[in-house]
Amino acid sequence: MVRIAPVALPLRRCVLTAGAALSAMVMQPSFAEHHDIDTEQPFDFSALTIQEEIAQADSVDPESSSQANLEAGADQGNTEDLAKQAQNPIASMISFPIQWNATPGTQWAPSLIDPSARDNRTQNVVNVQPVVPFKISNDLTLVTRTIVPIVNQPWADGVDFTAIGDINPSVFFVPTLMGNLTIGLGPTLIIPSATDIRISSQRWSAGPSAVVVYTKGPWVLGGLANNVWSFSGRGGKDVNKLLIQPFLNYNMPKGWYITSSPVITNDWNADDGKGWMVPIGAGIGRVFKIGNQPVNASLSAYWNAIRPEIFGEKLQGEFTIRTQVQFLFPTGS
């Protein structure tokens, strides 16, 4: 149940709708009317509103890798079991991650829309991502995860604005399995609830989501994937987006860990298949306690090897930095 570390740093070229990875927004009426621009074109922040699985601790006993043993150890405050639970996005543990994503060198719009636009801006996205499990029976757990993005977006004339983005709740049905494997299946939903229309898809969207987690010794690895399609709403454009998030964590002594969890996205509606965002990178983190409160903190950096294009320009920056602080609440505490 851990999410990826968010971050705040600069982000380079923001992507207009069909672009994918950043979010599209509708032009401000004053700017659009003055420049005779189509006000129906949005931006897309979906690549930054996803989670990553991170958190580790001391080296792990291979004999305690089963889900049941990990949950029992986490409930008792065992640091290494707690860390491994934190790395599992569908573990039976309440967590409250606050994630900060930042990409330097962002260009707020293509030159075709704003000839004065430069790739010298920064977009910041803070994701508040509570995760709450509900034990339905000895054989099944329901895990809910809700992502509430808070976006600070570069805009025209060197001005930024901040708003709450579209909320993304997900539900996973997690069967109780013996051994090292955990799986979860369920629906994910995008609610057009943004407080500013410029960062809203303006469409209700939904689709299937799946998570697979394998835990063995010091390793926690797996992946999360979903695809959403719009099914209601009058504004914006049709939504058809893919998200794949592989994650690999390696535990080290004293709560330290190494992690890699790139968020790969694609806008299937982008022209000429240029809606892909493919980051490459890694980070480091640690699970520790502040008093009796377990905390997972991490920092990672990713090179955006493939970036979406809009009107032939890559608006998103070449690098994204993520920082995350996650408060952990074992169900037995």
Side-chain angles (χ1 to χ4, degrees):
M1 274 183 325
V2 176
R3 287 42 288 146
I4 46 230
V7 190
L9 285 185
L11 151 143
R12 192 182 229 166
R13 316 173 155 188
C14 206
V15 181
L16 277 193
T17 33
L22 263 275
S23 271
M25 329 168 150
V26 178
M27 311 288 304
Q28 282 182 327
S30 57
F31 182 90
E33 292 171 3
H34 181 70
H35 293 81
D36 190 25
I37 297 171
D38 177 11
T39 59
E40 295 303 315
Q41 187 78 344
F43 278 94
D44 177 9
F45 291 89
S46 58
L48 291 181
T49 53
I50 311 314
Q51 335 200 197
E52 282 184 79
E53 287 53 68
I54 303 176
Q56 272 92 341
D58 302 345
S59 56
V60 178
D61 177 3
E63 298 300 318
S64 66
S65 294
S66 73
Q67 182 67 14
N69 286 342
L70 285 175
E71 290 179 10
D75 289 349
Q76 297 167 12
N78 184 294
T79 305
E80 62 185 32
D81 290 336
L82 187 62
K84 298 194 83 172
Q85 287 290 88
Q87 297 164 23
N88 184 344
I90 51 174
S92 185
M93 178 174 63
I94 297 172
S95 71
F96 190 82
I98 301 174
Q99 175 192 103
W100 182 15
N101 299 271
T103 307
T106 293
Q107 185 169 317
W108 89 272
S111 301
L112 228 104
I113 289 181
D114 181 4
S116 66
R118 298 290 181 268
D119 57 358
N120 59 356
R121 310 284 294 281
T122 299
Q123 182 205 49
N124 296 299
V125 178
V126 174
N127 293 321
V128 179
Q129 308 173 151
V131 178
V132 181
F134 298 92
K135 195 79 171 180
I136 296 177
S137 69
N138 290 334
D139 299 320
L140 186 66
T141 300
L142 185 149
V143 178
T144 65
R145 181 187 67 184
T146 304
I147 303 174
V148 181
I150 302 170
V151 182
N152 176 253
Q153 175 62 29
W155 203 248
D157 302 321
V159 176
D160 297 352
F161 70 89
T162 301
I164 296 174
D166 292 345
I167 296 174
N168 175 207
S170 298
V171 175
F172 294 95
F173 294 91
V174 183
T176 301
L177 302 177
M178 299 301 293
N180 304 326
L181 189 67
T182 306
I183 61 173
L185 299 171
T188 187
L189 176 69
I190 305 294
I191 303 172
S193 54
T195 57
D196 192 309
I197 195 175
R198 290 172 290 175
I199 58 171
S200 177
S201 65
Q202 303 181 61
R203 294 292 186 96
W204 289 80
S205 303
S209 187
V211 177
V212 177
V213 184
Y214 181 77
T215 304
K216 183 68 173 179
W219 296 95
V220 176
L221 58 155
L224 178 152
N226 65 51
N227 201 106
V228 296
W229 296 266
S230 54
F231 62 89
S232 182
R234 298 180 179 179
K237 296 186 176 183
D238 288 339
V239 175
N240 182 1
K241 292 179 181 177
L242 170 73
L243 179 143
I244 301 173
Q245 185 185 0
F247 53 88
L248 183 153
N249 299 299
Y250 183 78
N251 292 309
M252 298 182 295
K254 298 183 179 180
W256 291 97
Y257 63 87
I258 297 173
T259 182
S260 179
S261 185
V263 179
I264 301 168
T265 59
N266 183 44
D267 182 349
W268 298 108
N269 293 329
D271 295 334
D272 302 322
K274 294 182 177 179
W276 284 95
M277 165 67 79
V278 182
I280 298 174
I284 191 168
R286 190 183 185 192
V287 174
F288 56 94
K289 287 188 176 182
I290 300 177
N292 293 323
Q293 176 61 58
V295 177
N296 169 41
S298 59
L299 174 66
S300 56
Y302 292 89
W303 169 50
N304 299 318
I306 299 176
R307 293 173 286 161
E309 293 186 23
I310 297 295
F311 299 144
E313 293 186 80
K314 296 177 180 179
L315 303 180
Q316 185 168 359
E318 293 184 18
F319 296 93
T320 296
I321 298 173
R322 299 190 186 115
T323 300
Q324 177 171 289
V325 175
Q326 179 185 19
F327 299 94
L328 309 174
F329 303 92
T331 53
S333 61

